[in-house]
Amino acid sequence: MVVTVLVSVGIGYFLGAMQSGDESSTAAEVVADEAGKDVATAEGSTDDKAKGVTAAELAKLKSVAETVESPNGDFSLVTVIEGEEQNRFLRSSLQAVTNQRRNLAMLGQKFDQMDPKLVQQREILAGQINEIRQALQQNLRFMAQNFGYTLANNYLLVPHNATLSSLAGKGEDQIKTVIYTFADSESYKKFQEKTNAYTKLKRDQVMAYRETLTDEEKEQPLPKMPLTDDMKKARKVMIAEYKCDPERNYVVEFQKTALYFRRAQQ
């Protein structure tokens, strides 16, 4: 399970957006439809609901916004996740359900396309599908009971407190050093905007280069390309402000996040 998020080549973690349906982008990227993706887990969230704490009261208690505006419909506060362990559990649960849903979709498509005459192969594949479906249903029941999670909603996760750490070495000898601390959602948002902007510069460079290649050349690994002037400027800013070189790998870990929801559009 992914318990930390690497910031590699300028790709940062999300300020929001995880889609409740199948995910086509990487875990570190903002999904195009901006919706939320899977699960919520919060320290004391079920207790708060049992005590009848409203979203407004929870927002005031935890110093977060009650709602987050969005062009496609505002998001309302569900819970606040506090502590690295709770936030890691959030990511693990989310990734498990995401992978299971993706695998079900892939295997289901493969089963539909398989020749009906291949009886034995279809039975084996059907068994795999049933096994994943049962595991997914179990996870969804657990998440519904403990976190109020439902596929009928989209979710938005907003980081409030987080740390950015550099990595040195590998395996047990790897050393993690905190190089920047995000004290609120706005500071993290600014960092995310800069990482997204750098990512776009990298993608634009790759796309422009691929347009010059033949179909055969496109099948070959891309060479390491020199940084453009705009990339050099953006890199310099990130190093100066965050001690973060977007050409290297870093770890983002969350200590406090706020989870919001809205009904999924049909």
Side-chain angles (χ1 to χ4, degrees), residues 81-139:
I81 305 99
E82 296 181 298
E84 287 187 8
E85 188 64 30
Q86 290 289 340
N87 275 282
R88 279 195 288 266
F89 183 73
L90 165 70
R91 291 301 301 166
S92 297
S93 300
L94 183 156
Q95 195 64 49
V97 170
T98 300
N99 291 340
Q100 288 167 341
R101 296 183 69 194
R102 182 188 295 116
N103 289 339
L104 270 181
M106 293 174 57
L107 292 178
Q109 184 178 24
K110 183 177 180 181
F111 184 86
D112 291 339
Q113 295 174 349
M114 185 174 289
D115 190 339
K117 296 180 181 179
L118 302 176
V119 178
Q120 185 175 1
Q121 290 90 328
R122 285 170 63 88
E123 289 180 351
I124 294 175
L125 189 57
Q128 294 174 346
I129 291 174
N130 287 333
E131 184 177 344
I132 296 175
R133 181 180 289 115
Q134 290 174 7
L136 174 60
Q137 290 173 345
Q138 182 177 356
N139 282 338

Side-chain angles (χ1 to χ4, degrees), residues 185-202:
S185 60
E186 189 61 29
S187 66
Y188 188 85
K189 179 181 179 181
K190 291 178 179 178
F191 170 74
Q192 182 65 65
E193 289 172 346
K194 288 182 173 61
T195 59
N196 288 345
Y198 194 88
T199 301
K200 185 177 186 304
L201 291 174
K202 295 284 288 188

Side-chain angles (χ1 to χ4, degrees), residues 55-66 77 80 82 160-161 183-185 256 258 260:
E57 292 170 335
L58 181 61
K60 183 177 181 180
L61 179 66
K62 300 296 184 179
S63 300
V64 301
E66 181 182 352
L77 180 64
V80 177
E82 296 181 298
H160 282 266
N161 301 136
D184 51 42
S185 60
K256 178 182 178 181
Y260 298 80

Side-chain angles (χ1 to χ4, degrees), residues 207-224:
M207 291 177 62
Y209 174 75
R210 286 180 61 83
E211 289 179 356
T212 68
L213 303 179
T214 64
D215 291 341
E216 184 176 350
E217 290 173 333
K218 290 179 180 178
E219 299 298 324
Q220 303 301 317
L222 290 174
K224 183 175 177 60

